[in-house]
Amino acid sequence: MNSTQSKECLQGVRSLQNANCVVMVPPKEFRYNAETAQDNEFQHKVELSEQQVRDNAMAEFKSMVVSLREEGVQVVEFDYPVSEKETPDAVFPNNWFSTTPTGELFVFPMACQNRQLEVRPEALVKSLSNSGRKVTSNSSLVSFVENDAYLESTGVMVMDHVNRIIYAALSHRCDREVLEEYAQRVGYERVISFQTGLPSGQPIYHTNVMMAVGESFCVICDELIPEFERRFVLKSLAKDKQVISISLEQMNQFCGNILQLENANGDKLIAMSLSAFNAFTTVQKSQLSTHGKLLPFDVSTIENIGGGSVRCMLGEVFLPRG
């Protein structure tokens, strides 16, 4: 399916912002990843043994899966065979694939070599099919790796599906050329890319750590964006969304790494970590609650060591049933 056809198909589902199905990957090889730590300032080493780390991470994962299913969200557990080379960050599947309501599966170029091993599209298609979700076409941007150009899916792209806008903080993991190529393929009308600056002087490694977009709200740590770009980003978001600004300290507790979902009945839910929930102010929680039931999950081991939180653990599935 070309971009024009994809765009035409999406005309009928413009209001679909939230997935009611997600892919989650068990953290059976989870550990501190030295490769990704080179530009992910959210990762931390701990004194626990690797087995203790994995046991804790697996308990957090299982609890989250159970809770989401109890809330009526379909969870596809995508397991995989262990190979000689470990994939310590496999618990964050949203970085290597995305799906569309028209049945397309996109796979993306990952920046770190041990994360490139996570990309298993054939196995994922089979798992999705077994769960009643139909992939009608495949599209890959993985070849950009040969040019040292990367685009880590919905880690670096925060999607406004209603308005067909992609928000993206440019970085080593978010190449402008690949970003524009994806937008063209998927038929999205606008790409709003921008620079960011952490106190260290480095850019944010993933956009979805600093911002989230829901159907009628957004959360954003806008102080990271240079002023001349910040105004443009906020103006675009404020056109039809309630803008909830978070501080750098709140972002460091993963308040930006949240995701609005729907259950089988169409009820709105907002998944977040317990640390994020505790860091939001009372006013912000009240604001967010108007957009969905708040679902805090304790994933402290995963977010402290892996540098990603609840949103990173959820690969949205917009595929049709089939």
Side-chain angles (χ1 to χ4, degrees), residues 144-172:
F144 278 96
V145 169
E146 299 172 5
N147 299 325
D148 294 324
Y150 312 107
L151 187 73
E152 297 193 339
S153 189
T154 53
V156 297
M157 297 183 293
V158 174
M159 311 281 204
D160 179 350
H161 297 299
V162 176
N163 298 303
R164 299 210 302 279
I165 301 173
I166 299 173
Y167 295 91
L170 298 172
S171 68
H172 174 63

Side-chain angles (χ1 to χ4, degrees), residues 251-271:
M251 183 193 73
N252 288 335
Q253 296 301 313
F254 294 98
C255 288
N257 200 238
I258 68 177
L259 182 65
Q260 188 180 38
L261 298 166
E262 291 185 6
N263 63 17
N265 296 322
D267 301 320
K268 303 293 191 297
L269 310 164
I270 302 178

Side-chain angles (χ1 to χ4, degrees), residues 6-76:
S6 178
K7 186 174 179 179
E8 289 173 350
C9 288
L10 286 169
Q11 295 293 333
V13 291
R14 286 178 62 89
S15 64
L16 183 58
Q17 175 66 26
N18 306 313
N20 58 20
C21 176
V22 293
V23 168
M24 295 184 67
V25 180
K28 59 188 182 185
E29 297 179 298
F30 183 73
R31 59 170 170 76
Y32 179 82
N33 189 348
E35 283 190 37
T36 56
Q38 294 179 31
D39 64 348
N40 181 348
E41 298 182 17
F42 294 80
Q43 292 179 229
H44 301 94
K45 289 184 177 180
V46 296
E47 295 182 358
L48 298 174
S49 69
E50 280 198 4
Q51 190 58 52
Q52 287 176 306
V53 166
R54 288 174 182 173
D55 288 346
N56 291 350
M58 188 63 76
E60 293 170 2
F61 169 84
K62 289 181 177 179
S63 177
M64 188 170 157
V65 170
V66 169
S67 296
L68 284 170
R69 286 175 172 164
E70 288 177 346
E71 292 292 341
V73 177
Q74 182 183 5
V75 178
V76 179

Side-chain angles (χ1 to χ4, degrees), residues 86-104:
E86 291 186 340
T87 53
D89 283 338
V91 71
F92 304 132
N94 81 304
N95 299 150
W96 67 266
F97 80 90
S98 71
T99 61
T100 74
T102 57
E104 291 171 288

Side-chain angles (χ1 to χ4, degrees), residues 199-210:
S200 65
Q202 297 301 310
I204 195 78
Y205 84 103
H206 274 166
T207 314
N208 75 2
V209 179
M210 65 169 287

Side-chain angles (χ1 to χ4, degrees), residues 17-313:
Q17 175 66 26
N18 306 313
N20 58 20
C21 176
V22 293
V23 168
M24 295 184 67
V25 180
K28 59 188 182 185
E29 297 179 298
F30 183 73
R31 59 170 170 76
Y32 179 82
N33 189 348
E35 283 190 37
T36 56
Q38 294 179 31
D39 64 348
N40 181 348
E41 298 182 17
F42 294 80
Q43 292 179 229
H44 301 94
K45 289 184 177 180
V46 296
E47 295 182 358
L48 298 174
S49 69
E50 280 198 4
Q51 190 58 52
Q52 287 176 306
V53 166
R54 288 174 182 173
D55 288 346
N56 291 350
M58 188 63 76
E60 293 170 2
F61 169 84
K62 289 181 177 179
S63 177
M64 188 170 157
V65 170
V66 169
S67 296
L68 284 170
R69 286 175 172 164
E70 288 177 346
E71 292 292 341
V73 177
Q74 182 183 5
V75 178
V76 179
E77 287 192 64
F78 178 48
D79 207 345
Y80 60 94
V82 175
S83 63
E84 292 182 5
K85 297 182 179 179
E86 291 186 340
T87 53
D89 283 338
V91 71
F92 304 132
N94 81 304
N95 299 150
W96 67 266
F97 80 90
S98 71
T99 61
T100 74
T102 57
E104 291 171 288
L105 173 70
F106 287 86
V107 292
F108 294 86
M110 305 280 282
C112 297
Q113 288 188 359
N114 65 8
R115 294 221 63 189
Q116 292 170 10
L117 300 173
E118 298 172 26
V119 182
R120 302 177 174 93
E122 295 81 7
L124 178 60
V125 169
K126 183 177 179 180
S127 184
L128 288 166
S129 178
N130 291 340
S131 300
R133 298 288 174 158
K134 184 178 181 181
V135 175
T136 58
S137 64
N138 293 274
S139 186
S140 175
L141 294 98
V142 172
S143 62
F144 278 96
V145 169
E146 299 172 5
N147 299 325
D148 294 324
Y150 312 107
L151 187 73
E152 297 193 339
S153 189
T154 53
V156 297
M157 297 183 293
V158 174
M159 311 281 204
D160 179 350
H161 297 299
V162 176
N163 298 303
R164 299 210 302 279
I165 301 173
I166 299 173
Y167 295 91
L170 298 172
S171 68
H172 174 63
R173 305 195 195 192
C174 183
D175 180 86
R176 191 190 300 271
E177 179 185 351
V178 193
L179 176 63
E180 295 289 348
E181 171 69 18
Y182 171 75
Q184 182 179 14
R185 290 195 194 186
V186 80
Y188 272 44
E189 295 175 346
R190 295 177 66 197
V191 173
I192 298 180
S193 59
F194 48 88
Q195 304 293 330
T196 58
L198 293 167
S200 65
Q202 297 301 310
I204 195 78
Y205 84 103
H206 274 166
T207 314
N208 75 2
V209 179
M210 65 169 287
M211 70 179 292
V213 169
E215 194 168 63
S216 56
F217 77 94
C218 68
V219 171
I220 182 169
C221 185
D222 53 285
E223 66 180 89
L224 296 185
I225 308 174
E227 186 176 355
F228 72 96
E229 292 182 300
R230 184 190 313 158
R231 294 175 185 172
F232 183 76
V233 173
L234 292 177
K235 182 179 179 180
S236 175
L237 290 167
K239 284 181 180 178
D240 62 352
K241 302 189 190 301
Q242 179 181 28
V243 178
I244 301 172
S245 182
I246 58 173
S247 66
L248 179 64
E249 291 75 20
Q250 288 179 305
M251 183 193 73
N252 288 335
Q253 296 301 313
F254 294 98
C255 288
N257 200 238
I258 68 177
L259 182 65
Q260 188 180 38
L261 298 166
E262 291 185 6
N263 63 17
N265 296 322
D267 301 320
K268 303 293 191 297
L269 310 164
I270 302 178
M272 64 183 67
S273 72
L274 183 61
S275 61
F277 179 83
N278 290 335
F280 278 119
T281 67
T282 301
V283 171
Q284 289 170 332
K285 289 176 188 175
S286 178
Q287 291 172 323
L288 286 169
S289 293
T290 66
H291 302 285
K293 179 180 179 181
L294 306 188
L295 300 179
F297 302 102
D298 183 358
V299 292
S300 52
T301 303
I302 292 171
E303 64 185 3
N304 186 42
I305 297 171
S309 190
V310 164
R311 195 276 170 266
C312 299
M313 297 170 66

